[in-house]
Structures are given as structure tokens and as C-alpha cells.
């Protein structure tokens, strides 16, 4: 997540810097640093922001499930926590997902793939870099 995206998402959540710090359980100084680009936004902060945004976005129609969109084989689905917990619309939030048949070693690696996935883009693409 870039500093520009952090600012945009804070605005979409309708929070001041102080309120955002309280919501994320971080210092206001950290919020300032993220927005100025002085510090890298940690994965746990990015993950929480995306989760909060996903809960506030109003989407119509049926939520797309990752295993349907990606046409996952049954064996792969049965080993995937997103499928196990019926979270195919928030698979990007669930660690240990089996995208492409493999798990990801870190949040950063996972998000590299998620940022180009139709499930993630259906929620967030219109917000990226607005």
C-alpha cells in the first residue's frame, strides 16, 4: 500500500488522522509517517484497512467466490482455508490460501498476487489510486 492509497482509504473510511490511529491501534505519529511516505506501511495495518473497507463498501449482486472464479480443483479447495471458512469473497484477507496451488510465504508476497486477482479487484480496483 502506498502513502497515497493510505490517505485515500482513510478518507473513504471518513476518519481523521487521530481517529485512524485509534481505529488501527497505532500512534498518530505512525499515521503521519505513513501518509508522508517516511515509513513503509506494515502488512498488519494494510490488512486491517482493506478489511474495514471491504465491510463498508456496498456492492450489489452475489459476491464472487475465489474458487469459482479461479476454477480451483476440488483437492485444492479442500486444502484452502478460504474454502473451509466459506470466505471466498475475502480470500485476500485469509492467510494460508492456496492460490495457484501454493501458499504464500508472507503478506507482501500474497498481496502481490491478490492485487491482480478478480476477487480483490472487484472490491478495491475503483479505489486504487483515485
Amino acid at each position: 500500500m502506498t502513502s497515497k492509497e493510505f490517505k485515500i482509504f482513510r478518507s473513504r473510511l471518513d476518519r481523521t488522522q487521530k481517529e485512524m490511529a485509534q481505529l488501527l491501534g497505532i500512534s498518530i505519529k505512525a499515521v503521519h509517517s505513513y501518509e508522508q511516505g517516511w515509513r513503509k506501511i506494515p502488512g498488519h495495518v494494510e490488512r486491517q484497512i482493506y478489511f474495514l473497507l471491504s465491510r463498508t463498501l456496498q456492492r450489489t449482486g452475489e459476491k464472487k467466490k475465489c474458487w469459482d472464479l479461479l476454477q480451483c480443483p476440488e483437492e485444492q479447495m479442500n486444502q484452502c482455508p478460504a474454502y473451509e471458512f466459506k470466505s471466498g469473497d475475502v480470500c485476500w484477507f485469509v492467510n494460508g490460501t492456496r492460490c495457484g496451488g501454493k501458499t504464500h510465504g508472507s503478506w507482501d508476497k500474497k498481496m502481490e498476487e491478490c492485487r491482480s486477482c478478480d476477487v480483490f479487484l472487484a472490491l478495491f480496483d475503483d479505489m486504487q489510486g483515485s
Side-chain angles (χ1 to χ4, degrees), residues 37-62:
W38 298 330
R39 288 176 54 191
K40 182 182 184 309
I41 298 157
H44 70 279
V45 170
E46 178 181 17
R47 185 172 187 240
Q48 190 170 1
I49 290 169
Y50 279 130
F51 178 76
L52 294 168
L53 283 168
S54 74
R55 301 298 91 189
T56 62
L57 297 171
Q58 299 298 315
R59 298 288 188 227
T60 58
E62 188 176 334

Side-chain angles (χ1 to χ4, degrees), residues 69-120:
L69 279 171
L70 302 175
Q71 299 178 347
C72 293
E74 189 171 340
E75 179 182 314
Q76 184 176 318
M77 286 185 335
N78 290 332
Q79 296 177 355
C80 184
Y83 183 75
E84 177 185 355
F85 295 106
K86 306 299 180 236
S87 302
D89 59 322
V90 291
C91 50
W92 48 268
F93 181 76
V94 180
N95 286 328
T97 54
R98 305 278 301 171
C99 305
K102 62 180 176 26
T103 57
H104 303 89
S106 69
W107 171 258
D108 289 337
K109 294 285 185 201
K110 177 179 179 54
M111 288 309 295
E112 276 180 35
E113 189 169 332
C114 291
R115 283 189 183 93
S116 62
C117 177
D118 289 340
V119 176
F120 184 83

